[in-house]
Amino acid sequence: QVQLVESGGGLVQAGGSLRLSCAASGSIFSIKAMGWYRQAPGKEREFVAGISWRRGTTSYADVVKGRFTITRANAINTVYLQMNSLEPEDTAVYYCAAGRGDSATFSLGGTDYWGKGTLVTVSS
């Protein structure tokens, strides 16, 4: 089993920035990709960004490209999501996720573990 704990959500004005963190523990050796999904009110959960654990290859949803950056710190089993130029449409609960498949699989919903989520609210 893998446990994921997110932190860093909050309230920010449009145009501002936030950084989310996700600390993983447990059977980390089984993980090949980690990243973030989000779910806005009344909408389905959607992929935001992912990173391969070994090579650091990244992928992003089109709506966040150029604004969000995902990074990892393998030594402390932590993944970060730096979010800049935030828009009200980015308001959602952000979930950290991890998968045993590759990063491409992860971006298509191939997730095996989930955190509890952290709320990001962007005011206009």
Side-chain angles (χ1 to χ4, degrees):
Q1 284 290 335
V2 173
Q3 294 77 43
L4 304 173
V5 179
E6 304 101 334
S7 60
L11 173 65
V12 64
Q13 288 188 332
S17 300
L18 279 176
R19 188 175 83 153
L20 305 182
S21 301
C22 175
S25 61
S27 301
I28 307 299
F29 62 88
S30 67
I31 297 302
K32 290 186 178 179
M34 284 183 65
W36 301 86
Y37 279 70
R38 70 184 183 185
Q39 188 166 17
K43 295 186 177 181
E44 294 187 353
R45 192 173 297 189
E46 63 177 359
F47 169 75
V48 176
I51 188 166
S52 64
W53 199 243
R54 188 167 66 94
R55 295 187 177 183
T57 305
T58 59
S59 59
Y60 298 91
D62 288 342
V63 294
V64 305
K65 280 182 181 177
R67 300 188 297 123
F68 292 10
T69 303
I70 187 169
T71 57
R72 76 198 194 296
N74 293 50
I76 56 172
N77 299 326
T78 299
V79 170
Y80 305 96
L81 185 68
Q82 178 66 43
M83 305 185 294
N84 299 327
S85 301
L86 283 161
E87 304 167 352
E89 293 74 23
D90 295 315
T91 295
V93 176
Y94 283 71
Y95 295 91
C96 180
R100 295 191 294 265
D102 59 25
S103 57
T105 302
F106 179 87
S107 68
L108 296 174
T111 57
D112 298 288
Y113 305 101
W114 291 94
K116 293 183 178 180
T118 185
L119 177 63
V120 172
T121 304
V122 184
S123 63
S124 58

